[in-house]
Amino acid sequence: MADLLFDRSASQSNCWQDREIRFDVPLDTLDLRRGETLLDSLEYIEDTKGNNGDQGDLRVTNLRIMWISRKNKRTNISIGHNCVISINVRSAKSRLKGETQALYILTKLLNQRFEFIFTAIATSTDRLFSSVQSVFKAYDNSRLYRDMKLRGAVIADKELRLLPLEQVYSRVNGVWNLSAEQGNLGTFFISNVRVVWFANLAESFNVSIPYLQIKSVKIRDSKFGPALVIDTMPESGGYVLGFRIDPRETLDYVFKELSSLWQVFTNNPIFGVEFLIENMEKESQLKILASLKISDTEQDVEIVDTPHRGDHLASFYAEAPGKGMDRDPVFCPELGLAIEQLREGTTIDQLWSVL
Amino acid sequence: MQNMQLPKDMNPVWLAQSRLRRRKFDESLKISSALLEKNPYDQAVWFLKTRALTLKNWIDDVEIEEEGIADILMDENQIAQVPRPGTSMGATVNTSGGMPSQAVRPMTSSGRPVTGFARPGTGSARPTTSAMGRAGLTSSSGLAAQQALLDQALRSGNASNRPGTSRPVTSSGRFVRLGTASLLTQVGGPFIDVERLDLRKYAARPLLARALCDYIIYNDHNMKKALELCAHATQTNEFQDWWWKARLGKCYYQLGLLRDAEKQFKSSVQAQPMILSTLELCKIYLRMDQPNTAIEHYLAALVTHPDEVSLLLALARVHDALHEGEKAIQLYKNVLFYDSSNVEAVACLASYHFYSDQPEIALRYYRRLLQMGVTSCELWNNLGLCCFYSGQYDMCLGCFERTLQLAADDALPDIWFNIGQVAIGIGDLNLAMQCFKIAISIDPHHTEAYNNLGVLEFRRGNDGSAMAQFRLGQKYSHLVFEVFYNAALLSFKNGDFQDSYEMTQKALALYPEHTETHELLKQLTTQFASL
């Protein structure tokens, strides 16, 4: 019974905000999800790569960067931090325009590379795009909160190395990992962010599963007897991890604890992105901003069709338009290296030579 | 120096070495300075710190040919005062060599077409009295003429964007400036007090001596001391070591003793044919205005180092300076055959093709630069122009938008000037007007923009204001023949034949092969004859 209760559908807790790039989405998807907080908001930003010359606002949350047009809120972009490869700020100084800064974001999604260029139209302040960079840095440095990690350096001297916002709730000894034939004796750490198992004989044999990546927690019968089974999300590999804990009371207790912690986490996820806003005045302003739901501010007629990613997509390609996907890598005997498969009728020599 | 937090069990000397190897000079300096405070006699650390300081301030002085006004006008290193054409770099205008004429390709100064690639010391013509070349110096009234020349050089060499070289001109400016800047980086005075060192003692230790020598050259710019050290060191090496000879040569060259430098480099190249020594040797020959000797040396070096790109490039530059465009282009193509990503060769070829009526090919070259990851406002500007002239209108304005985004004040006037050209191309004369006005608002010395504005004003029938624009343009640059020709034409139309005649003369001095000017002159002379 209990496992049915807690076997939620994936869609409820599935978090796409930091893993995808979406264009022109319905307005309700621009609202902050649970656990997402607005960290900074910049006004009068132009989306230059899209070439529409539109003014808009840039909003930075702990999961993504959103650009929303001022003229029509349906023109918008949502860029998840996880897709970002690099962020650069270039500034140009001139008497004509004052000092303007441009933000170059290079991203990658499903083998397609997109480039975004945001330009500040108003004369800049010195902290304009620095927040975007530092939020991304904070996101980049806190991946353990959100990603499953196999055989990482998460254990030191039989103790869990805690993340900044983490508290360990319980430690369970004598947990058998059922991934191998003979099983492995190890230890569970259950915290408010993740569950970690490591083998007693080899600390480097471990797994760290954040609640964000857990699809379901069940108790199932296996050939080793009743076992705790954790399914993970398809984007983190879709693993099925089985653990055997003796006796049965302990197993039930662990299952209950894990389920309730997972549920609490789902209601209010901790993404681990820590970012301090520089001045307090800004903070109060942001609170107001955060309380405004984007979709409430504009009574928009809901158009019922699948949210298609219109022709907008093409104008954001980082390379020349028309090259969407990378071709498969093959071995190139001339260079002795693996290269992307050449197009029909081209050779390495032709591509290299400019003459 | 505060104590650095070093990881446990890590040897600080090793760490400083590793940082130096990864070119993290400041971090390496921090560690070695802290170590030297503890033990000032640690030679290994002293060596590390010296190297770090040297590399931090290192500039590739093979690429630098700073010639200040004093160097150009006051010293007389070349032998021939009136060399035969083709044997000297002196600006004698000859538009042979199959290069686009002045009517097509803009000039930086009389007889030097705009290049595709600016290096420090891209020698545009020497500031002398217009196209008379160096002969002007030996004119009858020696001193007075020199004074006049100096005045002219100082006037044209102000740091607007029409300087004589690609940087503001002072007496070998860059070396002096870097010396003062490097002192600021160190707290509590300089690291090594060169004046107090016993150089003889150091010269006996080969490793320390080399590090110290480079430190004195690149960090202190104290050529006299460096020379002393080099002299002692070559003595201890019994005059066998090519490296010390090359360094001696470098010191002599920077002190302006070209003949001594030549001797040192020559014997260094004989002892050990290195590419760098050859390049420096040829730099001296170019400084002495003996391009053909330089070419011989380059070719000889190319036999020992076949297909060496830097030699080919240097050769191409010399041919460019001698107005032998065809040969230079061939050489640039050779460079690209061996190194398809050489920015200088690609840029020069691109500009050559653009001005010889092949914008599509130029576009291909510039796109190559873009693929290589060059993103500068100049590149986007060139791409925009190529797109426009090869009829790819969909890309053109996008490129110019990119350009405007990246541009700072120094490049903006030219960019607006180019947008003005595009506007003329699409027939939007109002936009063109605005563009040229913006160009002038940013750079009040933009002669080409004045000229085009004048033409547009003339089209509107405002003869007076057109003339004013031409006059302004003439005031700010003596090198753009269009301004003079247009003014002459306008004066002729208004019947001011005397003025027109003067302008025609000036235009002809700048561009002798211009047919229309000759036509105008003919008409003027018939007018004068009939009076």
Side-chain angles (χ1 to χ4, degrees):
Chain A
M1 279 316 293
D3 49 343
L4 276 177
L5 263 179
F6 294 119
D7 191 357
R8 298 150 155 268
S9 65
S11 62
Q12 262 174 299
S13 59
N14 190 4
C15 169
W16 60 267
Q17 276 84 348
D18 60 335
R19 314 220 161 229
E20 290 186 25
I21 301 171
R22 297 191 177 183
F23 299 94
D24 302 348
V25 290
L27 290 182
D28 53 351
T29 46
L30 286 179
D31 286 331
L32 304 181
R33 81 180 296 276
R34 282 177 186 159
E36 188 176 19
T37 50
L38 188 61
L39 298 173
D40 206 346
S41 175
L42 313 167
E43 294 179 327
Y44 301 109
I45 305 289
E46 179 195 43
D47 164 33
T48 311
K49 185 83 181 189
N51 256 339
N52 40 18
D54 275 0
Q55 285 189 27
D57 299 336
L58 197 69
R59 304 194 171 192
V60 186
T61 76
N62 56 352
L63 297 182
R64 55 182 166 162
I65 302 160
M66 290 181 278
W67 179 85
I68 303 151
S69 166
R70 292 201 151 206
K71 225 184 293 178
N72 175 9
K73 285 197 163 59
R74 295 194 66 83
T75 307
N76 55 48
I77 310 171
S78 156
I79 308 165
H81 286 310
N82 201 38
C83 309
V84 174
I85 299 172
S86 69
I87 294 183
N88 290 310
V89 175
R90 291 214 182 90
S91 57
K93 231 181 156 141
S94 69
R95 274 176 298 175
L96 206 66
K97 304 174 294 194
E99 187 171 358
T100 52
Q101 289 192 309
L103 180 76
Y104 288 69
I105 306 181
L106 194 65
T107 58
K108 190 168 182 176
L109 177 69
L110 303 172
N111 275 333
Q112 300 188 63
R113 272 184 289 275
F114 299 107
E115 186 187 34
F116 299 91
I117 303 174
F118 297 112
T119 313
I121 300 171
T123 44
S124 74
T125 56
D126 42 1
R127 54 154 283 279
L128 188 61
F129 288 130
S130 63
S131 59
V132 180
Q133 281 176 297
S134 40
V135 169
F136 172 66
K137 222 173 255 164
Y139 179 92
D140 201 30
N141 291 332
S142 58
R143 289 188 186 274
L144 270 178
Y145 285 94
R146 300 173 306 267
D147 290 351
M148 194 163 137
K149 185 107 184 112
L150 291 166
R151 306 194 178 199
V154 292
I155 308 290
D157 300 334
K158 307 275 180 207
E159 279 299 330
L160 180 65
R161 296 170 68 174
L162 288 180
L163 298 170
L165 302 174
E166 192 176 28
Q167 291 167 310
V168 172
Y169 286 137
S170 58
R171 173 183 179 141
V172 186
N173 290 320
V175 182
W176 291 83
N177 183 344
L178 306 180
S179 61
E181 272 306 307
Q182 76 279 15
N184 247 316
L185 185 62
T187 307
F188 248 167
F189 284 109
I190 299 172
S191 79
N192 56 346
V193 179
R194 56 184 175 159
V195 51
V196 178
W197 176 90
F198 77 93
N200 290 346
L201 294 176
E203 279 179 11
S204 64
F205 184 45
N206 57 40
V207 59
S208 150
I209 318 157
Y211 296 133
L212 202 62
Q213 296 299 344
I214 293 181
K215 200 166 141 192
S216 68
V217 182
K218 301 184 204 125
I219 291 184
R220 276 217 312 249
D221 276 336
S222 67
K223 59 182 176 183
F224 301 101
L228 180 77
V229 174
I230 301 177
D231 278 349
T232 65
M233 295 276 184
E235 54 261 32
S236 69
Y239 290 98
V240 180
L241 301 160
F243 301 98
R244 209 188 89 193
I245 307 171
D246 295 329
R248 178 73 203 217
E249 293 80 54
T250 324
L251 177 63
D252 285 339
Y253 171 75
V254 168
F255 169 69
K256 212 165 136 190
E257 184 177 39
L258 206 55
S259 312
S260 55
L261 277 173
W262 177 43
Q263 202 182 349
V264 168
F265 181 90
T266 314
N267 281 336
N268 187 16
I270 302 167
F271 289 108
V273 181
E274 290 178 285
F275 175 74
L276 285 173
I277 297 158
E278 280 155 29
N279 44 5
M280 294 303 291
E281 209 178 314
K282 189 83 195 161
E283 198 161 10
S284 51
Q285 195 187 332
L286 282 174
K287 274 205 179 109
I288 300 163
L289 273 173
S291 60
L292 278 178
K293 286 186 75 175
I294 293 170
S295 49
D296 285 354
T297 53
E298 192 171 300
Q299 286 299 322
D300 207 279
V301 180
E302 194 57 52
I303 298 164
V304 186
D305 63 344
T306 49
H308 72 107
R309 303 200 176 162
D311 301 335
H312 250 81
L313 184 90
S315 59
F316 288 100
Y317 278 129
E319 283 106 1
K323 185 179 184 311
M325 289 290 201
D326 287 345
R327 292 176 292 279
D328 288 340
V330 291
F331 176 72
C332 165
E334 290 106 319
L335 301 175
L337 299 167
I339 62 164
E340 184 185 346
Q341 197 166 13
L342 295 169
R343 279 206 190 86
E344 280 297 311
T346 52
T347 64
I348 283 280
D349 273 338
Q350 277 175 350
L351 289 174
W352 172 237
S353 159
V354 262
L355 294 172
Chain B
M1 275 278 162
Q2 81 287 10
N3 261 339
M4 296 260 310
Q5 280 299 312
L6 286 179
K8 265 189 319 205
D9 312 330
M10 191 177 272
N11 184 340
V13 179
W14 179 86
L15 187 64
Q17 214 174 344
S18 160
R19 293 260 160 90
L20 179 66
R21 205 175 47 236
R22 285 179 291 151
R23 305 188 67 78
K24 297 183 174 177
F25 302 129
D26 288 330
E27 295 170 24
S28 176
L29 280 175
K30 245 187 199 160
I31 301 172
S32 44
S33 303
L35 284 172
L36 279 177
E37 266 179 24
K38 281 184 205 153
N39 178 13
Y41 298 107
D42 191 337
Q43 283 193 9
V45 180
W46 185 90
F47 178 85
L48 281 177
K49 185 169 176 180
T50 314
R51 288 306 292 159
L53 277 170
T54 309
L55 289 171
K56 199 177 143 185
N57 294 315
W58 189 83
I59 38 171
D60 188 356
D61 47 13
V62 175
E63 289 289 325
I64 290 195
E65 293 171 56
E66 290 281 314
E67 289 205 328
I69 294 174
D71 296 343
I72 293 173
L73 294 177
M74 297 295 191
D75 76 7
E76 287 293 316
N77 279 312
Q78 78 275 34
I79 304 160
Q81 289 294 357
V82 190
R84 280 182 302 138
T87 63
S88 154
M89 322 259 288
T92 42
V93 182
N94 58 342
T95 39
S96 61
M99 291 306 272
S101 78
Q102 214 173 326
V104 178
R105 187 168 186 166
M107 298 281 170
T108 50
S109 58
S110 50
R112 292 248 180 253
V114 167
T115 54
F117 188 82
R119 303 188 314 277
T122 313
S124 44
R126 293 160 167 261
T128 55
T129 41
S130 71
M132 286 164 65
R134 305 281 296 172
L137 271 182
T138 52
S139 65
S140 50
S141 55
L143 257 182
Q146 290 234 353
Q147 189 53 49
L149 282 176
L150 251 184
D151 284 351
Q152 190 220 334
L154 286 168
R155 246 180 323 163
S156 66
N158 64 352
S160 73
N161 65 356
R162 299 276 180 285
T165 57
S166 53
R167 291 177 53 84
V169 188
T170 53
S171 173
S172 62
R174 189 173 302 221
F175 297 121
V176 179
R177 261 198 308 285
L178 284 175
T180 49
S182 63
L183 289 179
L184 293 178
T185 57
Q186 297 159 55
V187 190
F191 164 51
I192 303 171
D193 191 359
V194 182
E195 299 298 334
R196 285 170 44 201
L197 287 182
D198 180 10
L199 295 176
R200 233 177 261 280
K201 197 179 77 182
Y202 280 94
R205 301 176 181 167
L207 290 174
L208 286 188
R210 279 170 201 238
L212 180 64
C213 170
D214 273 359
Y215 174 85
I216 300 172
I217 290 179
Y218 290 106
N219 202 60
D220 284 5
H221 306 287
N222 187 344
M223 290 304 155
K224 285 204 184 93
K225 276 284 166 191
L227 194 61
E228 215 177 301
L229 178 62
C230 291
H232 289 313
T234 28
Q235 247 173 351
T236 45
N237 283 314
E238 292 158 1
F239 305 102
Q240 292 302 314
D241 193 319
W242 66 268
W243 191 88
W244 283 111
K245 285 178 188 167
R247 279 290 179 279
L248 261 179
K250 194 194 283 285
C251 297
Y252 278 130
Y253 176 77
Q254 297 205 354
L255 289 169
L257 303 165
L258 299 187
R259 289 287 170 201
D260 295 318
E262 179 202 0
K263 212 161 56 197
Q264 294 298 340
F265 277 122
K266 252 187 165 163
S267 82
S268 168
V269 171
Q270 252 162 12
Q272 174 85 13
M274 300 297 276
I275 296 163
L276 262 186
S277 327
T278 310
L279 289 175
E280 298 214 59
L281 177 61
C282 293
K283 231 171 77 175
I284 297 169
Y285 286 127
L286 295 180
R287 186 77 175 271
M288 291 185 192
D289 199 16
Q290 299 174 13
N292 286 337
T293 321
I295 290 175
E296 276 165 34
H297 277 275
Y298 284 134
L299 290 174
L302 274 170
V303 174
T304 37
H305 311 279
D307 318 336
E308 169 56 39
V309 170
S310 56
L311 290 170
L312 286 171
L313 267 182
L315 206 49
R317 288 172 194 169
V318 176
H319 281 301
D320 243 346
L322 290 173
H323 303 281
E324 293 167 345
E326 289 288 318
K327 280 184 187 167
I329 293 301
Q330 204 44 55
L331 281 160
Y332 284 128
K333 282 187 174 160
N334 271 359
V335 170
L336 285 189
F337 178 77
Y338 296 115
D339 174 9
S340 279
S341 57
N342 188 297
V343 177
E344 180 173 353
V346 172
C348 288
L349 277 172
S351 67
Y352 165 78
H353 282 295
F354 178 79
Y355 286 117
S356 47
D357 236 355
Q358 297 165 308
E360 303 84 0
I361 298 177
L363 185 61
R364 211 177 63 201
Y365 283 117
Y366 283 127
R367 280 185 70 156
R368 175 57 171 238
L369 287 182
L370 198 62
Q371 277 175 343
M372 279 158 42
V374 181
T375 45
S376 66
C377 62
E378 287 85 1
L379 176 63
W380 283 106
N381 168 58
N382 293 348
L383 273 169
L385 282 178
C386 287
C387 284
F388 181 73
Y389 285 108
S390 55
Q392 305 202 18
Y393 302 115
D394 51 342
M395 296 280 295
C396 165
L397 289 177
C399 288
F400 277 118
E401 273 172 12
R402 270 284 179 97
T403 314
L404 287 174
Q405 223 178 58
L406 291 168
D409 263 354
D410 51 352
L412 266 178
D414 286 334
I415 292 162
W416 279 110
F417 176 79
N418 288 332
I419 297 175
Q421 296 279 27
V422 171
I424 289 177
I426 52 182
D428 187 346
L429 295 185
N430 284 332
L431 175 63
M433 267 282 207
Q434 295 293 339
C435 291
F436 295 132
K437 278 183 176 161
I438 293 174
I440 289 170
S441 75
I442 306 167
D443 173 19
H445 298 265
H446 203 287
T447 304
E448 288 88 351
Y450 280 118
N451 177 54
N452 290 9
L453 255 186
V455 174
L456 289 176
E457 290 282 10
F458 174 72
R459 279 184 54 98
R460 291 185 174 186
N462 309 335
D463 284 6
S465 86
M467 199 61 191
Q469 303 286 8
F470 294 139
R471 290 261 187 264
L472 271 174
Q474 290 165 13
K475 193 171 126 192
Y476 293 127
S477 164
H478 312 280
L479 307 166
V480 183
F481 85 93
E482 286 95 336
V483 196
F484 293 100
Y485 173 71
N486 288 338
L489 211 56
L490 192 54
S491 298
F492 184 76
K493 186 174 153 270
N494 294 338
D496 188 348
F497 297 139
Q498 180 57 38
D499 189 48
S500 177
Y501 179 76
E502 279 167 22
M503 291 296 155
T504 327
Q505 289 300 334
K506 282 182 180 164
L508 274 180
L510 288 171
Y511 183 25
E513 292 94 358
H514 194 230
T515 331
E516 285 87 347
T517 321
H518 283 291
E519 292 284 325
L520 185 61
L521 194 59
K522 223 182 271 170
Q523 286 191 334
L524 280 167
T525 37
T526 49
Q527 287 283 357
F528 289 142
S530 67
L531 285 175

